[in-house]
C-alpha cells in the first residue's frame, strides 16, 4: 500500500488511476468520464505495475483511491461537500444488516464517494441495480473505477448530481444505504432551505433552517421512496437531540419508518478524521413498529449487528424532546450510589439573547445595584475556581430587570428608563429571545444555584460550590439539591464529580466538543446522601 500511496500524489494521479483501472476492465463504464476529465489526467501517468497493485487491492476489499483522496484533500477541504469516508467495518455491518433484512432490486447510495457501500452491497445483492450519486466529479470517477474492478460496472450507474433532485422509483424494493454528507447550515444555499421547508410541509411537518445537510437526505429519502423500501444511514448523531433534528425524529416515527438507532461513541473513531458521535439509523418506509431499538457502543469490535438494544415504545419517543439518553442502558448504581437527579435538579442558565447588552459595561453605567447580579458568564470561571467560588468580585454582572418596572422606586426607574433607551438603540428589543419574553427587558435569571457546572468543552465538565451566590447564564448548569445538603456533603459531591466523570457520559459533536444536557447530567452516578454525609465519597 505504501508504494500505491507514493504513486498517487495528486488529484491528477487519482484521475489517471481511475481511468487506467477502467481501461483495464473490459467493457468498463469510464469512457464518458475520460472525455470529461481526460484533460486533467493528461499530465499524470501510472506504471502498469501500479495499476495492477491498485486492482489487486480493490479486489481484496480495500479502497486505495478513497484512501488517497482522503489524504490529498484535507478534512477541512472535504468538509465543504461533507465528504467523510466510512471505515470498512461499519460499511460491512450495515450491508450485512440489509442483506439479512430483505432482497433488493436496486441499491441507492445518496453520497457515493468512492463507492465503499456500493461495492460491498454489489457482492451481497448480486442481481441488484446499483445507483450512486455525488456532487464531486472526482468522487464519481473513483466510484466508477471501483465498481468496474469489482465486476459490477455493467449494472452500476453513477450520477454526478444532487440527491435531493433524485426521485426515480422502480418495481421491487430499493435499499438506501450510505453516509449522507455532513454540512452545516451556513453552507447550504437559500433555495435548498426553501426546498426543505416546502417538502416537509407536504408531510405536515416543520423544518428548521438551521438543519445540517444530512437532515435533507433523510427527508429526500422519505419523499422519493415507497412502502417496503428500506435502508441504513450513518450520520452525526446530533439529530437525536438538537432542535433542528426534530424533523428527523418525526420522520422516524412517521413515513421513514424508523427501526433502530445505534450510536457509536467518538472514542471508537467511527469517522477517523472527525471526532464526533455517530449514529446508524435503520428504517423501512411506511413501517410503524411498536418500539424502536436503541443501542450505544464504544468499540467498533462490538458492532456485530444492527437492530439490537433497548426497546423504547414509540409513544414514549413521541413525547421525548431528546433521544440520545435512550441509547444508554440503565445502569444499576453500586450499593449506596444514586443518579445525580435523585439528589439535584439540573437547570441550564438563562439565555440573555444579547450578551453585549445584558452583561453590564460602559453602556449601563448608572444602573442601580438592585438590578445587577454577579454572574458566571464564562466556563473558565468555573474551571479555574478549584471547586469553590467564594468571591464574586471578579465576575461580570448581568442586568436583570423586573418584568414589572413599577416594582422599582423612582430613582431606580429613572436610571432603568435611561438604560432601556440605550438597549433599544443596540437592538435588544428586536431579537428572537427578547421577542419571546413576557417583557423583552427581563432576562429572568434563575436563583443562585448551590453548585454550578460547565457542560460543553473538550474535557469533562467542571463543578464548583457557589458560596458567592453567583447567578449563571446558559454557558453553565445549576445544580439545585432536592433536599438540603450540608456543606460537608456538597464538598464531597463536588470532589467526586470533579474526578469521576468522563467525556464519554456526554455527547460529542464534530470538532470534539462534548456536551452534557441537563437530563444527561442527572443520569450521572454519584454517592448517595449517606456516603456524602460521611465524607466517604472518594
Amino acid at each position: 500500500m505504501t508504494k500505491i500511496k507514493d504513486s498517487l500524489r495528486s488529484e491528477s494521479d487519482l484521475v489517471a488511476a481511475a481511468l487506467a483501472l477502467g481501461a483495464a476492465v473490459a467493457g468498463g463504464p469510464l469512457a464518458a468520464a475520460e472525455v470529461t476529465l481526460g484533460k486533467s489526467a493528461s499530465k499524470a501517468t501510472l506504471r502498469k505495475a501500479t495499476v495492477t497493485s491498485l486492482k489487486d487491492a480493490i479486489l481484496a476489499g480495500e479502497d486505495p483511491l478513497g484512501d488517497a483522496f482522503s489524504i490529498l484533500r484535507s478534512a477541512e477541504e472535504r468538509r465543504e461537500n461533507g465528504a467523510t469516508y466510512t471505515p470498512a467495518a461499519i460499511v460491512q455491518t450495515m450491508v450485512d444488516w440489509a442483506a439479512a433484512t430483505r432482497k433488493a432490486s436496486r441499491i441507492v447510495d445518496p453520497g457515493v464517494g468512492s463507492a465503499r457501500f456500493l461495492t460491498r452491497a454489489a457482492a451481497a445483492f448480486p442481481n441488484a441495480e446499483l445507483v450512486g450519486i455525488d456532487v464531486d466529479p472526482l468522487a464519481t470517477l473513483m466510484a466508477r473505477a471501483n465498481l468496474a474492478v469489482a465486476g459490477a460496472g455493467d449494472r452500476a450507474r453513477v450520477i454526478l448530481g444532487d440527491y435531493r433532485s433524485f426521485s426515480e422509483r422502480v418495481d421491487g424494493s430499493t435499499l438506501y444505504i450510505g453516509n449522507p454528507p455532513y454540512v452545516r447550515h451556513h453552507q447550504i444555499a437559500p433555495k435548498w432551505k426553501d426546498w426543505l421547508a416546502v417538502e416537509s410541509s407536504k408531510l405536515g411537518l416543520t423544518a428548521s433552517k438551521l438543519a445540517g445537510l444530512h437532515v435533507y437526505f433523510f427527508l429526500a429519502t422519505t419523499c422519493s421512496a415507497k412502502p417496503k423500501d428500506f435502508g441504513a444511514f450513518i450520520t452525526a448523531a446530533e439529530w437525536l437531540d438538537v432542535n433542528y433534528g426534530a424533523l428527523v425524529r418525526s420522520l422516524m416515527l412517521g413515513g421513514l419508518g424508523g427501526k433502530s438507532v445505534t450510536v457509536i461513541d467518538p472514542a471508537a473513531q467511527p469517522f477517523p478524521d472527525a471526532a464526533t458521535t455517530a449514529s446508524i439509523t435503520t428504517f423501512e418506509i411506511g413501517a410503524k413498529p411498536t418500539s424502536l431499538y436503541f443501542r450505544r457502543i464504544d468499540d467498533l469490535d462490538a458492532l456485530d449487528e444492527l437492530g439490537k438494544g433497548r426497546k423504547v415504545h414509540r409513544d414514549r419517543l413521541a413525547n421525548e424532546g431528546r433521544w440520545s439518553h435512550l441509547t444508554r442502558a440503565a445502569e444499576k448504581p453500586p450499593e449506596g450510589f444514586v443518579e445525580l437527579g435523585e439528589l439535584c435538579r439540573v437547570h441550564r442558565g438563562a439565555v440573555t439573547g444579547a450578551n453585549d447588552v445584558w452583561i453590564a459595561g460602559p453602556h449601563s453605567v448608572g444602573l442601580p445595584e438592585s438590578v445587577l447580579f454577579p454572574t458566571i458568564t464564562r466556563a473558565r470561571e468555573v474551571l479555574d475556581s478549584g471547586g469553590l467560588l467564594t468571591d464574586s468580585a471578579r465576575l461580570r454582572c448581568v442586568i436583570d430587570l423586573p418584568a414589572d418596572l413599577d416594582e422599582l422606586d423612582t430613582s431606580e426607574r429613572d436610571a432603568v428608563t435611561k438604560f432601556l433607551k440605550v438597549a433599544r438603540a443596540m437592538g435588544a428589543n428586536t431579537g428572537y429571545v427578547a421577542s419571546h419574553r413576557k417583557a423583552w427587558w427581563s432576562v429572568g435569571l434563575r436563583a443562585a444555584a448551590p453548585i454550578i457546572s460547565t457542560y460543553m468543552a473538550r474535557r469533562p465538565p467542571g463543578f464548583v460550590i457557589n458560596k458567592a451566590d453567583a447567578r449563571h447564564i446558559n454557558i453553565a448548569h445549576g445544580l439545585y439539591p432536592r433536599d438540603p445538603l450540608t456543606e460537608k456533603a456538597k464538598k464531597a459531591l463536588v470532589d467526586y464529580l470533579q474526578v469521576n466523570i468522563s467525556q464519554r457520559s456526554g455527547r460529542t459533536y464534530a470538532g470534539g466538543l462534548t456536551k452534557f444536557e441537563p437530563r444527561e447530567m442527572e443520569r450521572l452516578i454519584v454517592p448517595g446522601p449517606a456516603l456524602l454525609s460521611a465524607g466517604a465519597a472518594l
Side-chain angles (χ1 to χ4, degrees):
M1 283 300 295
T2 300
K3 291 183 178 179
I4 292 177
K5 291 179 181 178
D6 289 343
S7 301
L8 302 178
R9 297 179 177 178
S10 68
E11 291 192 14
S12 291
D13 289 340
L14 271 181
V15 173
L19 293 174
L21 287 166
V25 179
L30 298 177
E34 188 169 1
V35 173
T36 303
L37 297 173
K39 184 176 180 181
S40 299
S42 60
K43 295 182 180 179
T45 57
L46 294 176
R47 294 188 306 164
K48 184 176 180 180
T50 299
V51 176
T52 299
S53 296
L54 286 167
K55 185 177 178 181
D56 290 344
I58 294 169
L59 290 173
E62 298 175 12
D63 181 17
L65 300 181
D67 290 342
F69 175 79
S70 297
I71 294 172
L72 292 171
R73 284 195 193 172
S74 67
E76 291 73 21
E77 292 174 307
R78 285 183 282 112
R79 201 164 289 141
E80 182 177 346
N81 289 328
T84 301
Y85 284 25
T86 311
I90 296 177
V91 173
Q92 191 61 56
T93 298
M94 293 169 65
V95 170
D96 289 345
W97 170 86
T101 299
R102 179 178 292 121
K103 290 184 179 180
S105 60
R106 183 181 66 167
I107 299 165
V108 175
D109 183 342
V112 71
S114 58
R116 290 186 177 185
F117 284 94
L118 284 188
T119 52
R120 289 178 181 263
F125 298 88
N127 299 312
E129 176 192 4
L130 308 172
V131 180
I133 307 165
D134 207 294
V135 296
D136 187 336
L138 181 51
T140 60
L141 185 56
M142 292 188 298
R144 293 186 182 104
N146 279 327
L147 289 165
V149 173
D154 58 344
R155 55 188 174 105
R157 183 160 52 104
V158 179
I159 301 170
L160 177 60
D162 195 303
Y163 177 63
R164 291 167 290 189
S165 299
F166 181 80
S167 59
E168 300 174 11
R169 291 189 176 186
V170 296
D171 294 334
S173 291
T174 293
L175 165 64
Y176 294 87
I177 190 167
N179 177 0
Y182 181 86
V183 176
R184 302 302 294 269
H185 73 93
H186 313 83
Q187 298 171 262
I188 298 175
K191 72 169 187 176
W192 285 116
K193 293 186 177 184
D194 292 339
W195 174 91
L196 184 73
V198 170
E199 294 302 317
S200 59
S201 68
K202 291 178 182 178
L203 301 175
L205 303 173
T206 58
S208 168
K209 291 187 177 181
L210 302 181
L213 188 57
H214 54 298
V215 172
Y216 291 63
F217 278 50
F218 279 108
L219 178 61
T221 302
T222 306
C223 293
S224 64
K226 66 182 192 309
K228 300 299 182 181
D229 288 347
F230 64 116
F233 286 162
I234 179 169
T235 66
E238 294 176 10
W239 66 265
L240 290 167
D241 293 311
V242 296
N243 289 337
Y244 74 67
L247 176 58
V248 181
R249 298 193 293 273
S250 295
L251 293 173
M252 288 284 284
L253 298 177
L256 186 65
K259 305 271 286 190
S260 72
V261 176
T262 302
V263 168
I264 306 175
D265 192 273
Q269 290 190 297
F271 303 123
D273 53 5
T276 187
T277 307
S279 68
I280 302 175
T281 305
T282 65
F283 53 87
E284 179 184 319
I285 303 299
K288 289 188 177 181
T290 303
S291 299
L292 276 66
Y293 287 90
F294 287 80
R295 183 184 178 205
R296 175 179 290 262
I297 65 165
D298 56 12
D299 188 333
L300 288 183
D301 290 339
L303 188 63
D304 49 353
E305 60 181 296
L306 305 179
K308 299 195 307 184
R310 176 186 181 187
K311 290 178 67 175
V312 181
H313 197 281
R314 63 185 298 110
D315 290 344
R316 178 182 177 187
L317 293 170
N319 292 313
E320 289 275 358
R322 295 181 174 87
W323 286 6
S324 68
H325 68 281
L326 300 172
T327 66
R328 296 186 175 91
E331 181 180 352
K332 185 177 181 180
E335 185 69 28
F337 283 66
V338 298
E339 289 190 352
L340 178 60
E342 294 292 314
L343 298 177
C344 301
R345 292 173 290 111
V346 179
H347 291 294
R348 185 183 288 109
V351 178
T352 71
N355 283 355
D356 58 332
V357 176
W358 301 112
I359 294 178
H363 65 289
S364 61
V365 171
L367 281 175
E369 289 188 7
S370 62
V371 301
L372 300 175
F373 296 86
T375 303
I376 289 176
T377 59
R378 302 183 181 96
R380 184 52 56 189
E381 292 162 354
V382 173
L383 299 175
D384 290 346
S385 68
L388 181 64
L389 183 66
T390 58
D391 183 8
S392 63
R394 294 185 179 182
L395 300 178
R396 297 186 291 177
C397 286
V398 168
I399 302 162
D400 193 16
L401 306 175
D404 183 0
L405 297 179
D406 289 337
E407 296 177 12
L408 303 171
D409 63 32
T410 302
S411 62
E412 291 175 332
R413 179 69 181 265
D414 290 343
V416 168
T417 300
K418 180 180 178 181
F419 165 74
L420 289 180
K421 291 180 181 179
V422 176
R424 281 193 181 92
M426 297 174 71
N429 61 321
T430 61
Y432 175 85
V433 173
S435 66
H436 285 74
R437 290 181 182 139
K438 180 180 179 181
W440 67 265
W441 57 79
S442 185
V443 170
L445 290 174
R446 290 187 178 277
I451 299 172
I452 293 177
S453 75
T454 61
Y455 70 88
M456 179 176 279
R458 291 181 175 85
R459 49 152 289 166
F463 297 83
V464 60
I465 296 175
N466 180 22
K467 293 185 72 66
D469 288 329
R471 308 300 177 93
H472 66 289
I473 58 174
N474 66 319
I475 57 86
H477 289 335
L479 279 62
Y480 298 84
R482 297 183 184 276
D483 296 309
L485 292 176
T486 65
E487 292 303 315
K488 181 178 182 180
K490 281 191 287 187
K491 183 178 186 307
L493 177 59
V494 168
D495 287 346
Y496 181 87
L497 289 167
Q498 293 279 48
V499 299
N500 287 281
I501 305 305
S502 72
Q503 284 180 272
R504 290 174 55 187
S505 300
R507 285 184 289 117
T508 301
Y509 289 84
L513 280 174
T514 298
K515 183 178 183 181
F516 286 75
E517 295 290 351
R519 183 173 296 181
E520 291 168 334
M521 191 165 282
E522 287 184 358
R523 289 173 61 92
L524 298 175
I525 303 301
V526 298
L531 290 176
L532 293 176
S533 296
L538 300 179

